[in-house]
Amino acid sequence: MSRAAVFKAISEDPTLNLLDITADTVFPNWASRKRPSDTGPFIILRWQEETKEINMDGPRVLDVWAHIPMEISNDYGRLDEILYFVTKALRALVQKPGADGFTVTQIIEHGKSADFYDTAYDTISRNASFGVLSHESTASELSLIETP
């Protein structure tokens, strides 16, 4: 399903890193009433349903939620910028294998949400929704994974 490739693409993107989005501020499927970060912007990756096509698996829906604590900023323009660069990072991910044994085949942009105030986290937020199509990586694709 390419969770590893998606996490790596977002958390290691140099432009997102300059916007304070790093491995410490990207949270896969965060499920808590307490917000995961108080120090600046953060992202929650929410994997949704997987559609089925005739005789094939379809794309899995990925919602990328960007948040900024209200005490830090109420500028939705910062969220727009973060989601713009998330979209660019995901577009560049096509045909790159992840460490979880899956390769992203296609990223389908579904759109972005309206500006949102999250009362539970006391943050401003927006999300971008994508369809992520992937397949199990082949041996030749696995040799492309960068190792430190």
Side-chain angles (χ1 to χ4, degrees):
M1 160 175 45
S2 303
R3 289 177 191 256
V6 166
F7 179 84
K8 181 177 179 172
I10 294 171
S11 65
E12 295 182 6
D13 181 81
T15 306
L16 286 168
N17 291 167
L18 292 173
L19 297 172
D20 297 324
I21 300 299
T22 66
D24 294 331
T25 60
V26 177
F27 302 92
N29 284 330
W30 183 258
S32 173
R33 294 195 183 271
K34 183 180 181 316
R35 71 179 174 214
S37 177
D38 294 324
T39 60
F42 60 92
I43 286 178
I44 296 174
L45 303 176
R46 172 99 192 211
W47 290 94
Q48 303 284 355
E49 72 278 358
E50 181 177 4
T51 58
K52 293 287 185 181
E53 307 283 329
I54 297 173
N55 296 327
M56 316 175 30
D57 289 339
R60 179 100 188 252
V61 175
L62 170 66
D63 292 330
V64 178
W65 284 88
H67 293 261
I68 301 174
M70 280 294 291
E71 63 271 13
I72 292 174
S73 177
N74 63 0
D75 179 7
Y76 284 92
R78 288 182 67 190
L79 294 174
D80 295 342
E81 187 175 29
I82 289 168
L83 291 176
Y84 172 79
F85 288 107
V86 163
T87 301
K88 283 187 73 164
L90 291 179
R91 281 186 198 143
L93 185 58
V94 175
Q95 299 305 328
K96 293 192 180 164
D100 58 359
F102 286 86
T103 297
V104 173
T105 306
Q106 184 179 20
I107 298 288
I108 305 156
E109 296 175 52
H110 290 176
K112 294 181 177 73
S113 72
D115 297 346
F116 180 72
Y117 171 67
D118 188 323
T119 57
Y121 288 165
D122 192 27
T123 61
I124 61 170
S125 68
R126 286 192 72 206
N127 78 61
S129 185
F130 303 90
V132 180
L133 190 61
S134 61
H135 65 272
E136 194 168 356
S137 300
T138 63
S140 62
E141 289 171 324
L142 290 174
S143 68
L144 299 174
I145 297 176
E146 296 176 18
T147 53

mmCIF file with all atom_site columns, all heavy atoms in Angstrom, residues 6-32:
data_model
loop_
_atom_site.group_PDB
_atom_site.id
_atom_site.type_symbol
_atom_site.label_atom_id
_atom_site.label_alt_id
_atom_site.label_comp_id
_atom_site.label_asym_id
_atom_site.label_entity_id
_atom_site.label_seq_id
_atom_site.pdbx_PDB_ins_code
_atom_site.Cartn_x
_atom_site.Cartn_y
_atom_site.Cartn_z
_atom_site.occupancy
_atom_site.B_iso_or_equiv
_atom_site.pdbx_formal_charge
_atom_site.auth_seq_id
_atom_site.auth_comp_id
_atom_site.auth_asym_id
_atom_site.auth_atom_id
_atom_site.pdbx_PDB_model_num
ATOM 1   N N   . VAL A 1 6  ? 5.153  6.966  1.079  1.00 0.00 ? 6  VAL A N   1
ATOM 2   C CA  . VAL A 1 6  ? 4.430  8.221  1.285  1.00 0.00 ? 6  VAL A CA  1
ATOM 3   C C   . VAL A 1 6  ? 5.005  8.962  2.488  1.00 0.00 ? 6  VAL A C   1
ATOM 4   O O   . VAL A 1 6  ? 5.281  10.169 2.422  1.00 0.00 ? 6  VAL A O   1
ATOM 5   C CB  . VAL A 1 6  ? 2.918  7.967  1.442  1.00 0.00 ? 6  VAL A CB  1
ATOM 6   C CG1 . VAL A 1 6  ? 2.196  9.190  1.984  1.00 0.00 ? 6  VAL A CG1 1
ATOM 7   C CG2 . VAL A 1 6  ? 2.313  7.526  0.116  1.00 0.00 ? 6  VAL A CG2 1
ATOM 8   N N   . PHE A 1 7  ? 5.204  8.261  3.600  1.00 0.00 ? 7  PHE A N   1
ATOM 9   C CA  . PHE A 1 7  ? 5.762  8.899  4.800  1.00 0.00 ? 7  PHE A CA  1
ATOM 10  C C   . PHE A 1 7  ? 7.134  9.501  4.492  1.00 0.00 ? 7  PHE A C   1
ATOM 11  O O   . PHE A 1 7  ? 7.419  10.643 4.840  1.00 0.00 ? 7  PHE A O   1
ATOM 12  C CB  . PHE A 1 7  ? 5.875  7.885  5.942  1.00 0.00 ? 7  PHE A CB  1
ATOM 13  C CG  . PHE A 1 7  ? 6.470  8.475  7.189  1.00 0.00 ? 7  PHE A CG  1
ATOM 14  C CD1 . PHE A 1 7  ? 5.674  9.170  8.086  1.00 0.00 ? 7  PHE A CD1 1
ATOM 15  C CD2 . PHE A 1 7  ? 7.829  8.359  7.456  1.00 0.00 ? 7  PHE A CD2 1
ATOM 16  C CE1 . PHE A 1 7  ? 6.221  9.734  9.237  1.00 0.00 ? 7  PHE A CE1 1
ATOM 17  C CE2 . PHE A 1 7  ? 8.385  8.918  8.592  1.00 0.00 ? 7  PHE A CE2 1
ATOM 18  C CZ  . PHE A 1 7  ? 7.576  9.602  9.486  1.00 0.00 ? 7  PHE A CZ  1
ATOM 19  N N   . LYS A 1 8  ? 7.972  8.737  3.819  1.00 0.00 ? 8  LYS A N   1
ATOM 20  C CA  . LYS A 1 8  ? 9.318  9.204  3.506  1.00 0.00 ? 8  LYS A CA  1
ATOM 21  C C   . LYS A 1 8  ? 9.270  10.411 2.567  1.00 0.00 ? 8  LYS A C   1
ATOM 22  O O   . LYS A 1 8  ? 10.002 11.387 2.778  1.00 0.00 ? 8  LYS A O   1
ATOM 23  C CB  . LYS A 1 8  ? 10.143 8.078  2.878  1.00 0.00 ? 8  LYS A CB  1
ATOM 24  C CG  . LYS A 1 8  ? 11.563 8.473  2.551  1.00 0.00 ? 8  LYS A CG  1
ATOM 25  C CD  . LYS A 1 8  ? 12.372 7.304  2.005  1.00 0.00 ? 8  LYS A CD  1
ATOM 26  C CE  . LYS A 1 8  ? 13.779 7.793  1.686  1.00 0.00 ? 8  LYS A CE  1
ATOM 27  N NZ  . LYS A 1 8  ? 14.670 6.739  1.341  1.00 0.00 ? 8  LYS A NZ  1
ATOM 28  N N   . ALA A 1 9  ? 8.432  10.368 1.544  1.00 0.00 ? 9  ALA A N   1
ATOM 29  C CA  . ALA A 1 9  ? 8.348  11.469 0.577  1.00 0.00 ? 9  ALA A CA  1
ATOM 30  C C   . ALA A 1 9  ? 7.971  12.778 1.260  1.00 0.00 ? 9  ALA A C   1
ATOM 31  O O   . ALA A 1 9  ? 8.531  13.832 0.955  1.00 0.00 ? 9  ALA A O   1
ATOM 32  C CB  . ALA A 1 9  ? 7.341  11.134 -0.518 1.00 0.00 ? 9  ALA A CB  1
ATOM 33  N N   . ILE A 1 10 ? 7.034  12.718 2.198  1.00 0.00 ? 10 ILE A N   1
ATOM 34  C CA  . ILE A 1 10 ? 6.590  13.937 2.881  1.00 0.00 ? 10 ILE A CA  1
ATOM 35  C C   . ILE A 1 10 ? 7.576  14.357 3.963  1.00 0.00 ? 10 ILE A C   1
ATOM 36  O O   . ILE A 1 10 ? 7.978  15.521 4.039  1.00 0.00 ? 10 ILE A O   1
ATOM 37  C CB  . ILE A 1 10 ? 5.176  13.736 3.465  1.00 0.00 ? 10 ILE A CB  1
ATOM 38  C CG1 . ILE A 1 10 ? 4.171  13.571 2.318  1.00 0.00 ? 10 ILE A CG1 1
ATOM 39  C CG2 . ILE A 1 10 ? 4.785  14.901 4.373  1.00 0.00 ? 10 ILE A CG2 1
ATOM 40  C CD1 . ILE A 1 10 ? 2.782  13.164 2.755  1.00 0.00 ? 10 ILE A CD1 1
ATOM 41  N N   . SER A 1 11 ? 8.005  13.423 4.791  1.00 0.00 ? 11 SER A N   1
ATOM 42  C CA  . SER A 1 11 ? 8.843  13.789 5.937  1.00 0.00 ? 11 SER A CA  1
ATOM 43  C C   . SER A 1 11 ? 10.274 14.166 5.564  1.00 0.00 ? 11 SER A C   1
ATOM 44  O O   . SER A 1 11 ? 10.950 14.861 6.314  1.00 0.00 ? 11 SER A O   1
ATOM 45  C CB  . SER A 1 11 ? 8.867  12.662 6.970  1.00 0.00 ? 11 SER A CB  1
ATOM 46  O OG  . SER A 1 11 ? 9.483  11.510 6.441  1.00 0.00 ? 11 SER A OG  1
ATOM 47  N N   . GLU A 1 12 ? 10.739 13.722 4.375  1.00 0.00 ? 12 GLU A N   1
ATOM 48  C CA  . GLU A 1 12 ? 12.108 14.035 3.971  1.00 0.00 ? 12 GLU A CA  1
ATOM 49  C C   . GLU A 1 12 ? 12.190 15.052 2.840  1.00 0.00 ? 12 GLU A C   1
ATOM 50  O O   . GLU A 1 12 ? 13.278 15.323 2.331  1.00 0.00 ? 12 GLU A O   1
ATOM 51  C CB  . GLU A 1 12 ? 12.837 12.747 3.575  1.00 0.00 ? 12 GLU A CB  1
ATOM 52  C CG  . GLU A 1 12 ? 13.019 11.797 4.737  1.00 0.00 ? 12 GLU A CG  1
ATOM 53  C CD  . GLU A 1 12 ? 13.777 10.528 4.383  1.00 0.00 ? 12 GLU A CD  1
ATOM 54  O OE1 . GLU A 1 12 ? 14.275 10.406 3.238  1.00 0.00 ? 12 GLU A OE1 1
ATOM 55  O OE2 . GLU A 1 12 ? 13.853 9.650  5.256  1.00 0.00 ? 12 GLU A OE2 1
ATOM 56  N N   . ASP A 1 13 ? 11.059 15.646 2.461  1.00 0.00 ? 13 ASP A N   1
ATOM 57  C CA  . ASP A 1 13 ? 11.086 16.647 1.399  1.00 0.00 ? 13 ASP A CA  1
ATOM 58  C C   . ASP A 1 13 ? 11.792 17.914 1.898  1.00 0.00 ? 13 ASP A C   1
ATOM 59  O O   . ASP A 1 13 ? 11.407 18.468 2.942  1.00 0.00 ? 13 ASP A O   1
ATOM 60  C CB  . ASP A 1 13 ? 9.656  16.996 0.970  1.00 0.00 ? 13 ASP A CB  1
ATOM 61  C CG  . ASP A 1 13 ? 9.629  18.018 -0.137 1.00 0.00 ? 13 ASP A CG  1
ATOM 62  O OD1 . ASP A 1 13 ? 9.806  17.634 -1.300 1.00 0.00 ? 13 ASP A OD1 1
ATOM 63  O OD2 . ASP A 1 13 ? 9.461  19.219 0.176  1.00 0.00 ? 13 ASP A OD2 1
ATOM 64  N N   . PRO A 1 14 ? 12.828 18.388 1.199  1.00 0.00 ? 14 PRO A N   1
ATOM 65  C CA  . PRO A 1 14 ? 13.610 19.535 1.681  1.00 0.00 ? 14 PRO A CA  1
ATOM 66  C C   . PRO A 1 14 ? 12.788 20.811 1.863  1.00 0.00 ? 14 PRO A C   1
ATOM 67  O O   . PRO A 1 14 ? 12.990 21.540 2.837  1.00 0.00 ? 14 PRO A O   1
ATOM 68  C CB  . PRO A 1 14 ? 14.680 19.739 0.606  1.00 0.00 ? 14 PRO A CB  1
ATOM 69  C CG  . PRO A 1 14 ? 14.687 18.508 -0.210 1.00 0.00 ? 14 PRO A CG  1
ATOM 70  C CD  . PRO A 1 14 ? 13.363 17.837 -0.043 1.00 0.00 ? 14 PRO A CD  1
ATOM 71  N N   . THR A 1 15 ? 11.845 21.072 0.974  1.00 0.00 ? 15 THR A N   1
ATOM 72  C CA  . THR A 1 15 ? 11.034 22.282 1.115  1.00 0.00 ? 15 THR A CA  1
ATOM 73  C C   . THR A 1 15 ? 10.086 22.155 2.296  1.00 0.00 ? 15 THR A C   1
ATOM 74  O O   . THR A 1 15 ? 9.923  23.106 3.083  1.00 0.00 ? 15 THR A O   1
ATOM 75  C CB  . THR A 1 15 ? 10.249 22.577 -0.185 1.00 0.00 ? 15 THR A CB  1
ATOM 76  O OG1 . THR A 1 15 ? 11.176 22.621 -1.273 1.00 0.00 ? 15 THR A OG1 1
ATOM 77  C CG2 . THR A 1 15 ? 9.527  23.895 -0.084 1.00 0.00 ? 15 THR A CG2 1
ATOM 78  N N   . LEU A 1 16 ? 9.457  20.992 2.461  1.00 0.00 ? 16 LEU A N   1
ATOM 79  C CA  . LEU A 1 16 ? 8.604  20.786 3.632  1.00 0.00 ? 16 LEU A CA  1
ATOM 80  C C   . LEU A 1 16 ? 9.410  20.856 4.921  1.00 0.00 ? 16 LEU A C   1
ATOM 81  O O   . LEU A 1 16 ? 8.924  21.372 5.931  1.00 0.00 ? 16 LEU A O   1
ATOM 82  C CB  . LEU A 1 16 ? 7.853  19.458 3.519  1.00 0.00 ? 16 LEU A CB  1
ATOM 83  C CG  . LEU A 1 16 ? 6.706  19.453 2.502  1.00 0.00 ? 16 LEU A CG  1
ATOM 84  C CD1 . LEU A 1 16 ? 6.217  18.039 2.246  1.00 0.00 ? 16 LEU A CD1 1
ATOM 85  C CD2 . LEU A 1 16 ? 5.564  20.344 2.973  1.00 0.00 ? 16 LEU A CD2 1
ATOM 86  N N   . ASN A 1 17 ? 10.643 20.353 4.898  1.00 0.00 ? 17 ASN A N   1
ATOM 87  C CA  . ASN A 1 17 ? 11.503 20.450 6.079  1.00 0.00 ? 17 ASN A CA  1
ATOM 88  C C   . ASN A 1 17 ? 11.725 21.911 6.476  1.00 0.00 ? 17 ASN A C   1
ATOM 89  O O   . ASN A 1 17 ? 11.731 22.246 7.668  1.00 0.00 ? 17 ASN A O   1
ATOM 90  C CB  . ASN A 1 17 ? 12.844 19.770 5.842  1.00 0.00 ? 17 ASN A CB  1
ATOM 91  C CG  . ASN A 1 17 ? 12.746 18.254 5.723  1.00 0.00 ? 17 ASN A CG  1
ATOM 92  O OD1 . ASN A 1 17 ? 13.695 17.606 5.310  1.00 0.00 ? 17 ASN A OD1 1
ATOM 93  N ND2 . ASN A 1 17 ? 11.608 17.660 6.051  1.00 0.00 ? 17 ASN A ND2 1
ATOM 94  N N   . LEU A 1 18 ? 11.890 22.802 5.481  1.00 0.00 ? 18 LEU A N   1
ATOM 95  C CA  . LEU A 1 18 ? 12.045 24.233 5.763  1.00 0.00 ? 18 LEU A CA  1
ATOM 96  C C   . LEU A 1 18 ? 10.773 24.832 6.368  1.00 0.00 ? 18 LEU A C   1
ATOM 97  O O   . LEU A 1 18 ? 10.831 25.842 7.068  1.00 0.00 ? 18 LEU A O   1
ATOM 98  C CB  . LEU A 1 18 ? 12.425 24.996 4.492  1.00 0.00 ? 18 LEU A CB  1
ATOM 99  C CG  . LEU A 1 18 ? 13.810 24.724 3.922  1.00 0.00 ? 18 LEU A CG  1
ATOM 100 C CD1 . LEU A 1 18 ? 13.982 25.407 2.568  1.00 0.00 ? 18 LEU A CD1 1
ATOM 101 C CD2 . LEU A 1 18 ? 14.890 25.183 4.899  1.00 0.00 ? 18 LEU A CD2 1
ATOM 102 N N   . LEU A 1 19 ? 9.634  24.197 6.101  1.00 0.00 ? 19 LEU A N   1
ATOM 103 C CA  . LEU A 1 19 ? 8.353  24.640 6.664  1.00 0.00 ? 19 LEU A CA  1
ATOM 104 C C   . LEU A 1 19 ? 8.043  23.917 7.981  1.00 0.00 ? 19 LEU A C   1
ATOM 105 O O   . LEU A 1 19 ? 6.910  23.944 8.454  1.00 0.00 ? 19 LEU A O   1
ATOM 106 C CB  . LEU A 1 19 ? 7.234  24.405 5.648  1.00 0.00 ? 19 LEU A CB  1
ATOM 107 C CG  . LEU A 1 19 ? 7.357  25.184 4.337  1.00 0.00 ? 19 LEU A CG  1
ATOM 108 C CD1 . LEU A 1 19 ? 6.301  24.716 3.339  1.00 0.00 ? 19 LEU A CD1 1
ATOM 109 C CD2 . LEU A 1 19 ? 7.239  26.675 4.585  1.00 0.00 ? 19 LEU A CD2 1
ATOM 110 N N   . ASP A 1 20 ? 9.048  23.264 8.564  1.00 0.00 ? 20 ASP A N   1
ATOM 111 C CA  . ASP A 1 20 ? 8.948  22.542 9.851  1.00 0.00 ? 20 ASP A CA  1
ATOM 112 C C   . ASP A 1 20 ? 8.143  21.258 9.770  1.00 0.00 ? 20 ASP A C   1
ATOM 113 O O   . ASP A 1 20 ? 7.639  20.760 10.783 1.00 0.00 ? 20 ASP A O   1
ATOM 114 C CB  . ASP A 1 20 ? 8.402  23.445 10.964 1.00 0.00 ? 20 ASP A CB  1
ATOM 115 C CG  . ASP A 1 20 ? 9.313  24.609 11.256 1.00 0.00 ? 20 ASP A CG  1
ATOM 116 O OD1 . ASP A 1 20 ? 10.549 24.424 11.188 1.00 0.00 ? 20 ASP A OD1 1
ATOM 117 O OD2 . ASP A 1 20 ? 8.807  25.718 11.555 1.00 0.00 ? 20 ASP A OD2 1
ATOM 118 N N   . ILE A 1 21 ? 8.022  20.681 8.585  1.00 0.00 ? 21 ILE A N   1
ATOM 119 C CA  . ILE A 1 21 ? 7.401  19.362 8.426  1.00 0.00 ? 21 ILE A CA  1
ATOM 120 C C   . ILE A 1 21 ? 8.542  18.364 8.255  1.00 0.00 ? 21 ILE A C   1
ATOM 121 O O   . ILE A 1 21 ? 9.269  18.389 7.270  1.00 0.00 ? 21 ILE A O   1
ATOM 122 C CB  . ILE A 1 21 ? 6.455  19.329 7.210  1.00 0.00 ? 21 ILE A CB  1
ATOM 123 C CG1 . ILE A 1 21 ? 5.330  20.357 7.366  1.00 0.00 ? 21 ILE A CG1 1
ATOM 124 C CG2 . ILE A 1 21 ? 5.899  17.928 6.997  1.00 0.00 ? 21 ILE A CG2 1
ATOM 125 C CD1 . ILE A 1 21 ? 4.435  20.148 8.580  1.00 0.00 ? 21 ILE A CD1 1
ATOM 126 N N   . THR A 1 22 ? 8.708  17.494 9.256  1.00 0.00 ? 22 THR A N   1
ATOM 127 C CA  . THR A 1 22 ? 9.802  16.521 9.300  1.00 0.00 ? 22 THR A CA  1
ATOM 128 C C   . THR A 1 22 ? 9.244  15.179 9.794  1.00 0.00 ? 22 THR A C   1
ATOM 129 O O   . THR A 1 22 ? 8.053  15.069 10.089 1.00 0.00 ? 22 THR A O   1
ATOM 130 C CB  . THR A 1 22 ? 10.914 16.983 10.263 1.00 0.00 ? 22 THR A CB  1
ATOM 131 O OG1 . THR A 1 22 ? 10.373 16.978 11.601 1.00 0.00 ? 22 THR A OG1 1
ATOM 132 C CG2 . THR A 1 22 ? 11.428 18.381 9.922  1.00 0.00 ? 22 THR A CG2 1
ATOM 133 N N   . ALA A 1 23 ? 10.115 14.215 9.940  1.00 0.00 ? 23 ALA A N   1
ATOM 134 C CA  . ALA A 1 23 ? 9.686  12.914 10.484 1.00 0.00 ? 23 ALA A CA  1
ATOM 135 C C   . ALA A 1 23 ? 9.098  13.061 11.889 1.00 0.00 ? 23 ALA A C   1
ATOM 136 O O   . ALA A 1 23 ? 8.289  12.232 12.312 1.00 0.00 ? 23 ALA A O   1
ATOM 137 C CB  . ALA A 1 23 ? 10.865 11.942 10.494 1.00 0.00 ? 23 ALA A CB  1
ATOM 138 N N   . ASP A 1 24 ? 9.477  14.110 12.600 1.00 0.00 ? 24 ASP A N   1
ATOM 139 C CA  . ASP A 1 24 ? 8.947  14.340 13.957 1.00 0.00 ? 24 ASP A CA  1
ATOM 140 C C   . ASP A 1 24 ? 7.583  15.018 13.961 1.00 0.00 ? 24 ASP A C   1
ATOM 141 O O   . ASP A 1 24 ? 6.954  15.129 15.019 1.00 0.00 ? 24 ASP A O   1
ATOM 142 C CB  . ASP A 1 24 ? 9.922  15.189 14.764 1.00 0.00 ? 24 ASP A CB  1
ATOM 143 C CG  . ASP A 1 24 ? 11.229 14.466 15.042 1.00 0.00 ? 24 ASP A CG  1
ATOM 144 O OD1 . ASP A 1 24 ? 11.219 13.214 15.121 1.00 0.00 ? 24 ASP A OD1 1
ATOM 145 O OD2 . ASP A 1 24 ? 12.260 15.150 15.180 1.00 0.00 ? 24 ASP A OD2 1
ATOM 146 N N   . THR A 1 25 ? 7.133  15.511 12.786 1.00 0.00 ? 25 THR A N   1
ATOM 147 C CA  . THR A 1 25 ? 5.859  16.228 12.739 1.00 0.00 ? 25 THR A CA  1
ATOM 148 C C   . THR A 1 25 ? 4.880  15.636 11.724 1.00 0.00 ? 25 THR A C   1
ATOM 149 O O   . THR A 1 25 ? 3.875  16.257 11.407 1.00 0.00 ? 25 THR A O   1
ATOM 150 C CB  . THR A 1 25 ? 6.072  17.728 12.442 1.00 0.00 ? 25 THR A CB  1
ATOM 151 O OG1 . THR A 1 25 ? 6.714  17.874 11.175 1.00 0.00 ? 25 THR A OG1 1
ATOM 152 C CG2 . THR A 1 25 ? 6.889  18.398 13.531 1.00 0.00 ? 25 THR A CG2 1
ATOM 153 N N   . VAL A 1 26 ? 5.182  14.435 11.218 1.00 0.00 ? 26 VAL A N   1
ATOM 154 C CA  . VAL A 1 26 ? 4.260  13.711 10.335 1.00 0.00 ? 26 VAL A CA  1
ATOM 155 C C   . VAL A 1 26 ? 3.801  12.471 11.103 1.00 0.00 ? 26 VAL A C   1
ATOM 156 O O   . VAL A 1 26 ? 4.628  11.672 11.544 1.00 0.00 ? 26 VAL A O   1
ATOM 157 C CB  . VAL A 1 26 ? 4.927  13.308 8.999  1.00 0.00 ? 26 VAL A CB  1
ATOM 158 C CG1 . VAL A 1 26 ? 3.959  12.506 8.143  1.00 0.00 ? 26 VAL A CG1 1
ATOM 159 C CG2 . VAL A 1 26 ? 5.413  14.545 8.249  1.00 0.00 ? 26 VAL A CG2 1
ATOM 160 N N   . PHE A 1 27 ? 2.489  12.330 11.253 1.00 0.00 ? 27 PHE A N   1
ATOM 161 C CA  . PHE A 1 27 ? 1.940  11.263 12.084 1.00 0.00 ? 27 PHE A CA  1
ATOM 162 C C   . PHE A 1 27 ? 0.978  10.393 11.287 1.00 0.00 ? 27 PHE A C   1
ATOM 163 O O   . PHE A 1 27 ? -0.098 10.859 10.900 1.00 0.00 ? 27 PHE A O   1
ATOM 164 C CB  . PHE A 1 27 ? 1.223  11.865 13.303 1.00 0.00 ? 27 PHE A CB  1
ATOM 165 C CG  . PHE A 1 27 ? 2.119  12.719 14.133 1.00 0.00 ? 27 PHE A CG  1
ATOM 166 C CD1 . PHE A 1 27 ? 2.217  14.087 13.904 1.00 0.00 ? 27 PHE A CD1 1
ATOM 167 C CD2 . PHE A 1 27 ? 2.903  12.156 15.129 1.00 0.00 ? 27 PHE A CD2 1
ATOM 168 C CE1 . PHE A 1 27 ? 3.061  14.881 14.658 1.00 0.00 ? 27 PHE A CE1 1
ATOM 169 C CE2 . PHE A 1 27 ? 3.756  12.950 15.886 1.00 0.00 ? 27 PHE A CE2 1
ATOM 170 C CZ  . PHE A 1 27 ? 3.832  14.311 15.640 1.00 0.00 ? 27 PHE A CZ  1
ATOM 171 N N   . PRO A 1 28 ? 1.340  9.136  11.038 1.00 0.00 ? 28 PRO A N   1
ATOM 172 C CA  . PRO A 1 28 ? 0.435  8.230  10.325 1.00 0.00 ? 28 PRO A CA  1
ATOM 173 C C   . PRO A 1 28 ? -0.727 7.798  11.224 1.00 0.00 ? 28 PRO A C   1
ATOM 174 O O   . PRO A 1 28 ? -0.517 7.304  12.337 1.00 0.00 ? 28 PRO A O   1
ATOM 175 C CB  . PRO A 1 28 ? 1.319  7.024  9.984  1.00 0.00 ? 28 PRO A CB  1
ATOM 176 C CG  . PRO A 1 28 ? 2.719  7.490  10.176 1.00 0.00 ? 28 PRO A CG  1
ATOM 177 C CD  . PRO A 1 28 ? 2.659  8.569  11.219 1.00 0.00 ? 28 PRO A CD  1
ATOM 178 N N   . ASN A 1 29 ? -1.950 8.046  10.755 1.00 0.00 ? 29 ASN A N   1
ATOM 179 C CA  . ASN A 1 29 ? -3.169 7.608  11.451 1.00 0.00 ? 29 ASN A CA  1
ATOM 180 C C   . ASN A 1 29 ? -3.187 7.932  12.940 1.00 0.00 ? 29 ASN A C   1
ATOM 181 O O   . ASN A 1 29 ? -3.480 7.083  13.781 1.00 0.00 ? 29 ASN A O   1
ATOM 182 C CB  . ASN A 1 29 ? -3.392 6.113  11.239 1.00 0.00 ? 29 ASN A CB  1
ATOM 183 C CG  . ASN A 1 29 ? -3.925 5.827  9.865  1.00 0.00 ? 29 ASN A CG  1
ATOM 184 O OD1 . ASN A 1 29 ? -4.614 6.640  9.275  1.00 0.00 ? 29 ASN A OD1 1
ATOM 185 N ND2 . ASN A 1 29 ? -3.597 4.666  9.344  1.00 0.00 ? 29 ASN A ND2 1
ATOM 186 N N   . TRP A 1 30 ? -2.894 9.164  13.294 1.00 0.00 ? 30 TRP A N   1
ATOM 187 C CA  . TRP A 1 30 ? -2.946 9.611  14.689 1.00 0.00 ? 30 TRP A CA  1
ATOM 188 C C   . TRP A 1 30 ? -4.373 9.477  15.184 1.00 0.00 ? 30 TRP A C   1
ATOM 189 O O   . TRP A 1 30 ? -5.300 10.011 14.584 1.00 0.00 ? 30 TRP A O   1
ATOM 190 C CB  . TRP A 1 30 ? -2.477 11.066 14.787 1.00 0.00 ? 30 TRP A CB  1
ATOM 191 C CG  . TRP A 1 30 ? -2.421 11.580 16.179 1.00 0.00 ? 30 TRP A CG  1
ATOM 192 C CD1 . TRP A 1 30 ? -3.323 12.383 16.791 1.00 0.00 ? 30 TRP A CD1 1
ATOM 193 C CD2 . TRP A 1 30 ? -1.400 11.325 17.144 1.00 0.00 ? 30 TRP A CD2 1
ATOM 194 N NE1 . TRP A 1 30 ? -2.944 12.653 18.058 1.00 0.00 ? 30 TRP A NE1 1
ATOM 195 C CE2 . TRP A 1 30 ? -1.762 12.010 18.315 1.00 0.00 ? 30 TRP A CE2 1
ATOM 196 C CE3 . TRP A 1 30 ? -0.232 10.579 17.137 1.00 0.00 ? 30 TRP A CE3 1
ATOM 197 C CZ2 . TRP A 1 30 ? -0.986 11.985 19.458 1.00 0.00 ? 30 TRP A CZ2 1
ATOM 198 C CZ3 . TRP A 1 30 ? 0.538  10.560 18.280 1.00 0.00 ? 30 TRP A CZ3 1
ATOM 199 C CH2 . TRP A 1 30 ? 0.168  11.249 19.419 1.00 0.00 ? 30 TRP A CH2 1
ATOM 200 N N   . ALA A 1 31 ? -4.571 8.770  16.274 1.00 0.00 ? 31 ALA A N   1
ATOM 201 C CA  . ALA A 1 31 ? -5.914 8.562  16.812 1.00 0.00 ? 31 ALA A CA  1
ATOM 202 C C   . ALA A 1 31 ? -5.909 8.867  18.305 1.00 0.00 ? 31 ALA A C   1
ATOM 203 O O   . ALA A 1 31 ? -5.833 7.985  19.134 1.00 0.00 ? 31 ALA A O   1
ATOM 204 C CB  . ALA A 1 31 ? -6.368 7.132  16.553 1.00 0.00 ? 31 ALA A CB  1
ATOM 205 N N   . SER A 1 32 ? -5.938 10.141 18.613 1.00 0.00 ? 32 SER A N   1
ATOM 206 C CA  . SER A 1 32 ? -5.945 10.562 20.006 1.00 0.00 ? 32 SER A CA  1
ATOM 207 C C   . SER A 1 32 ? -6.673 11.891 20.098 1.00 0.00 ? 32 SER A C   1
ATOM 208 O O   . SER A 1 32 ? -6.695 12.664 19.138 1.00 0.00 ? 32 SER A O   1
ATOM 209 C CB  . SER A 1 32 ? -4.501 10.720 20.514 1.00 0.00 ? 32 SER A CB  1
ATOM 210 O OG  . SER A 1 32 ? -4.498 11.276 21.805 1.00 0.00 ? 32 SER A OG  1
#
